[in-house]
Amino acid sequence: MRDRKKRKAGWIGSLIMALVLLMPAIAVHREHAHAESVPLKTGNYYYSLAPNAGQLPDNGAAGLVSSENGVIMDGLTTTYAGWMGSATAAGTVQVVIDLLKDYPIDAINVVLNAPNSYWGFKELTVKYRSEATMDYYYIAGKYVASGTSLNNSVNLPMDNKTARFIVIDMKRAHAYQHIPLTEVRIYKGTGEEGTVQSAAYTVEQMQLELKKDALMADKYGQWVYETWDGKVASDNQLRQEYAAEAGALQDVKLNKSKYDPYGGIKNGGHYKETGYFRLQQIDGKWWFITPDGYKFFLKGVDAASIWEWGYGTPYKKADGTPRNVFQELPDPAAYAPAYASDINGERVSFLVANIMKKYGSNFEAKWESITKKRLIDWGFNAFSKWSKPRFIRDFPYLELLQDPMDLKRIQWTYDVFDPQAPSIIEAAIAPRLKEVRNDRWLIGYTYDNEAGWNADIVKTVLTYGADSAAKQAFVDQVAAKYNQDIIAVNGILGTSVESFDDLKATSIDIANVPAEIVSDYIRLASSTYFSTVKRIIKKYDPNHLFLGSSIVPTWRTSLDWDSAAMGVVDAFSVDNYSNDPSWIARYASFNKPLLNLEFTFSSSQHGLSPVNGSTSVSGTKERGSAFEAFVEGQAANPLFVGSGWFSYYDQAVTGRRDNENFNLGLVNQQDQPYTDMVQIMKTVNAGLDAIHENGG
């Protein structure tokens, strides 16, 4: 999740077929809360993207649409505007409404009715501004779709706030989802209207409206439109919370009567000591074994660093102008460490500023002490993927070796057959391998992230010319399979070349390639990839494990790729944002230790968004309950050796550079633990070793 994504499920193929369908008329009508009022129908509206489904005049509308004549304000639920999903579909669609003058607004009602599960939306945000507020919008409300209902009528009270312009943002759950917009009803409230009807905004002016920000965050990075128990109101509150938590955790430390220094289980038997973490199958169950020879089941936390780039938020737009989403930014002089500019962009971290306010002088050391005690108290035993605290040396961790960006790229991955690839990879990762090769706290390495090969990669490779090493490898493999018989290969691939050299320079249609050949090629690519990386790791570090590359089982990979890795890696890792532990069955036949190094459960709260539908729950306590069911289900499997919760902190409510603003932390950006959740996790973590030992 750190740099992507969100997940497409295995039903994407069905969604692609649905692209050829147009949404039929929807006859469902849902009563709104203001049936006695007549909605305003004045002015015009404009779409950020012309609808390609629905009725005229909205379908295909690239200019202004009259509110009087347009289908989304006609009072009918049998008409709609729609946007078909596709591989390249925009993630968010917007509509801006110009009422021509200020009105007091009682409520805004948005109806999105869908005929089937291929239609819908992930999140709806409604914004507004008056004529007097020129530079930014206010947010009337956010709504996250949940459940399986196809009909959504979202009513947002406005309490007579003044608005001339209203913007509706509709976000897709994934690229292939079709978005329906059935009705927008704007109910006039009581109070004074604007006295003069202004000139209607032009298309160009409406486009500028869509680019304007909406106010979101206060000086602590908190959602400004809501109050809740514990919401930070002062620096003194943060300091008091630190003092209270430090006192509560004062005596927390690893129980040495129960665990070895690395968290190994002393009552689970003693096994060969090698001085480093390793893997062993005992009575049919896989375990990590600590350097001191005890069983260890990984209970990790991802991105456990205040310096993690994904916790920051851009404070400028792409054009360099300020984002008008903050009430107040941290003082850049007093909180200089909160600002950063690097390969991950220019950003500010309210998290860092809050840590500085909370812990005072020597803030990082104090924060690291609290963090380690928190994780021990909550039953976690490792820093898993991504970043970790800089100065904690005595806590198990994983190391992610990222693939260099100067490799020859193929979509989300790279050409594993390029003869230059091994030396490029070696130059990039060797320094770190040499640095940590003797670190007993290091469990092992993952390399790259969520980047396997599937038929989409093969399809791309087959269009390349003879200068592509990947294309050469494909042709060489086919030639060997058919005993260098170019006539036979022409008949199979639908080509008409005179030699295999000519075939390397010829574009090949994957539709003509037998599935067996595609599978063989993907397996060859996988074994080349994983063998290359493992050879480099072992050259510089013979002591530590190679744990794979965190594949997403249903996205950007294939079972061919995964299966070919099994004979190379020490354990196979996935990132699986799901609530179903039965994903393990996909790999059961390989008898390989399995890890899930990114998972989470999230909710829509305090302006933050959930990650996806399958891991979205209603609240904080429910996040803990979902964690319990999922991790216990995984732990009961004899192949499973541990997981990593993504992540330690929430993302910023104002979004990171790719607009993710997910509620996925154990702790919020004000450094306040989600107590109701982590107390459940504490109990669950304490029992996972026994569940793995006894099979549930």
Side-chain angles (χ1 to χ4, degrees):
M1 180 171 299
R2 195 165 180 260
D3 54 0
R4 65 191 175 292
K5 348 206 175 317
K6 285 286 92 37
R7 311 294 196 276
K8 303 182 184 73
W11 32 257
I12 288 302
S14 299
L15 290 175
I16 296 173
M17 294 182 63
L19 292 175
V20 300
L21 303 174
L22 287 179
M23 188 172 92
I26 302 169
V28 178
H29 176 70
R30 303 187 73 190
E31 294 297 328
H32 54 74
H34 301 268
E36 72 284 357
S37 304
V38 177
L40 287 168
K41 289 187 180 181
T42 180
N44 306 295
Y45 56 87
Y46 173 79
Y47 295 112
S48 63
L49 182 68
N52 55 7
Q55 285 76 39
L56 297 173
D58 294 56
N59 190 345
L64 297 177
V65 180
S66 166
S67 297
E68 183 67 30
N69 300 324
V71 299
I72 65 168
M73 301 181 77
D74 61 5
L76 302 174
T77 55
T78 54
T79 59
Y80 70 99
W83 295 265
M84 305 298 287
S86 71
T88 58
T92 300
V93 176
Q94 299 173 287
V95 57
V96 54
I97 302 168
D98 177 8
L99 300 175
L100 302 182
K101 67 177 182 179
D102 283 342
Y103 286 93
I105 307 299
D106 176 47
I108 299 172
N109 179 249
V110 183
V111 179
L112 304 99
N113 289 343
N116 56 53
S117 61
Y118 300 120
W119 289 78
F121 66 101
K122 177 183 179 181
E123 187 172 280
L124 175 79
T125 303
V126 179
K127 305 176 285 191
Y128 68 95
R129 77 168 181 89
S130 67
E131 291 188 319
T133 307
M134 291 295 297
D135 296 332
Y136 59 91
Y137 277 72
Y138 294 99
I139 294 178
K142 290 177 65 175
Y143 178 81
V144 176
S146 62
T148 59
S149 174
L150 298 177
N151 300 323
N152 290 274
S153 182
V154 181
N155 196 67
L156 302 172
M158 285 284 287
D159 301 322
N160 291 315
K161 295 183 177 68
T162 300
R164 170 177 171 174
F165 298 97
I166 295 167
V167 173
I168 300 170
D169 294 349
M170 297 161 284
K171 184 180 295 185
R172 286 184 166 93
H174 50 80
Y176 293 93
Q177 186 176 47
H178 317 318
I179 299 176
L181 179 58
T182 310
E183 278 291 298
V184 179
R185 299 161 180 159
I186 304 166
Y187 294 97
K188 179 183 171 184
T190 59
E192 294 186 4
E193 300 177 14
T195 56
V196 178
Q197 183 163 298
S198 303
Y201 266 35
T202 64
V203 166
E204 291 75 17
Q205 289 173 307
M206 296 286 249
Q207 290 171 340
L208 291 175
E209 290 301 306
L210 293 175
K211 295 179 180 179
K212 289 182 178 177
D213 296 313
L215 182 66
M216 296 185 195
D218 67 10
K219 64 184 291 186
Y220 297 101
Q222 300 168 119
W223 188 242
V224 299
Y225 299 100
E226 186 181 351
T227 58
W228 58 86
D229 290 342
K231 187 176 185 180
V232 176
S234 68
D235 294 3
N236 188 53
Q237 178 185 338
L238 288 172
R239 290 190 289 268
Q240 290 176 346
E241 289 174 354
Y242 168 45
E245 188 175 16
L249 296 176
Q250 182 176 356
D251 297 327
V252 168
K253 56 186 177 182
L254 192 66
N255 185 344
K256 294 184 178 180
S257 66
K258 186 175 181 180
Y259 300 107
D260 77 0
Y262 304 94
I265 312 158
K266 286 187 174 180
N267 67 1
H270 187 254
Y271 301 88
K272 182 180 179 181
E273 300 179 30
T274 63
Y276 298 97
F277 279 90
R278 60 184 182 87
L279 286 155
Q280 183 175 338
Q281 195 170 28
I282 302 169
D283 297 327
K285 300 178 178 67
W286 281 102
W287 294 88
F288 284 106
I289 303 297
T290 67
D292 285 356
Y294 294 98
K295 293 177 180 176
F296 178 93
F297 187 83
L298 180 75
K299 308 163 198 173
V301 177
D302 297 332
S305 170
I306 56 174
W307 309 114
E308 167 62 36
W309 75 263
Y311 296 144
T313 185
Y315 58 92
K316 293 180 182 178
K317 299 180 185 179
D319 63 6
T321 59
R323 293 180 72 200
N324 291 312
V325 298
F326 313 106
Q327 282 185 336
E328 181 182 335
L329 285 169
D331 185 299
Y335 302 102
Y339 289 83
S341 180
D342 54 30
I343 191 174
N344 292 307
E346 194 171 21
R347 61 195 182 277
V348 61
S349 173
F350 282 89
L351 169 61
V352 171
N354 290 331
I355 294 294
M356 295 176 71
K357 294 171 183 177
K358 181 173 184 174
Y359 295 95
S361 60
N362 203 19
F363 66 90
E364 188 169 5
K366 295 174 184 175
W367 169 81
E368 288 195 348
S369 175
I370 285 288
T371 291
K372 183 179 176 182
K373 288 183 176 182
R374 282 174 177 168
L375 295 185
I376 292 172
D377 186 49
W378 300 339
F380 293 100
N381 60 12
F383 300 121
S384 40
K385 275 176 60 179
W386 306 115
S387 54
K388 68 182 186 69
R390 295 193 293 184
F391 305 112
I392 294 179
R393 304 297 184 211
D394 55 350
F395 203 70
Y397 71 98
L398 305 183
E399 181 78 18
L400 191 154
L401 304 167
Q402 190 61 64
D403 60 312
M405 292 308 297
D406 52 346
L407 293 165
K408 290 184 178 179
R409 311 306 298 185
I410 305 174
Q411 295 191 53
W412 58 81
T413 183
Y414 63 88
D415 187 343
V416 302
F417 299 104
D418 177 16
Q420 300 302 316
S423 60
I424 294 172
I425 296 168
E426 184 170 346
I429 70 176
R432 184 59 176 163
L433 294 171
K434 289 187 284 187
E435 182 180 359
V436 298
R437 61 177 292 167
N438 296 319
D439 190 345
R440 294 163 62 93
W441 297 96
L442 172 61
I443 298 170
Y445 303 99
T446 62
Y447 169 80
D448 201 353
N449 194 59
E450 300 180 353
W453 280 38
N454 59 16
D456 290 336
I457 295 296
V458 179
K459 181 180 179 180
T460 298
V461 168
L462 294 184
T463 66
Y464 290 166
D467 59 342
S468 164
K471 180 67 170 296
Q472 294 172 28
F474 175 84
V475 173
D476 289 344
Q477 186 181 38
V478 172
K481 182 178 180 67
Y482 291 95
N483 299 314
Q484 308 298 320
D485 187 342
I486 190 62
I487 296 175
V489 170
N490 276 332
I492 292 166
L493 301 183
T495 52
S496 57
V497 297
E498 295 184 359
S499 69
F500 286 106
D501 284 342
D502 291 341
L503 187 59
K504 291 175 182 178
T506 300
S507 181
I508 301 170
D509 186 350
I510 194 173
N512 296 328
V513 182
E516 179 186 358
I517 293 177
V518 174
S519 295
D520 288 346
Y521 179 58
I522 292 174
R523 286 194 290 268
L524 175 64
S526 177
S527 61
T528 301
Y529 171 98
F530 286 103
S531 297
T532 298
V533 174
K534 186 169 185 177
R535 178 186 59 78
I536 295 169
I537 289 175
K538 294 305 178 183
K539 177 179 178 180
Y540 293 96
D541 180 359
N543 301 320
H544 293 106
L545 299 164
F546 179 29
L547 305 175
S549 58
S550 296
I551 290 298
V552 179
T554 57
W555 185 66
R556 291 184 173 179
T557 194
S558 59
L559 194 55
D560 292 316
W561 176 271
D562 299 351
S563 63
M566 294 295 180
V568 181
V569 298
D570 297 305
F572 188 81
S573 60
V574 305
D575 290 352
N576 194 12
Y577 289 80
S578 167
N579 59 6
D580 184 2
S582 68
W583 66 268
I584 296 174
R586 175 181 174 94
Y587 305 113
S589 64
F590 300 105
N591 192 30
K592 180 66 64 171
L594 299 174
L595 294 154
N596 184 2
L597 295 182
E598 283 191 34
F599 77 102
T600 201
F601 295 96
S602 54
S603 67
S604 175
Q605 61 175 323
H606 309 331
L608 296 168
S609 300
V611 173
N612 60 30
S614 64
T615 60
S616 176
V617 295
S618 59
T620 301
K621 186 175 181 180
E622 290 74 17
R623 294 176 69 202
S625 298
F627 170 89
E628 178 178 15
F630 188 60
V631 300
E632 288 184 350
Q634 293 181 130
N637 193 290
L639 299 177
F640 196 73
V641 292
S643 58
W645 170 274
F646 192 91
S647 55
Y648 187 59
Y649 283 109
D650 286 334
Q651 294 170 341
V653 72
T654 49
R656 65 182 196 179
R657 64 177 182 179
D658 57 4
N659 296 318
E660 285 187 6
N661 70 333
F662 295 147
N663 160 235
L664 33 65
L666 304 175
V667 187
N668 66 23
Q669 287 229 332
Q670 293 69 47
D671 198 51
Q672 299 168 312
Y674 287 108
T675 304
D676 289 346
M677 178 178 70
V678 297
Q679 289 305 311
I680 294 173
M681 291 175 162
K682 179 177 181 177
T683 301
V684 172
N685 282 335
L688 287 183
D689 305 316
I691 288 174
H692 189 57
E693 180 72 54
N694 301 317

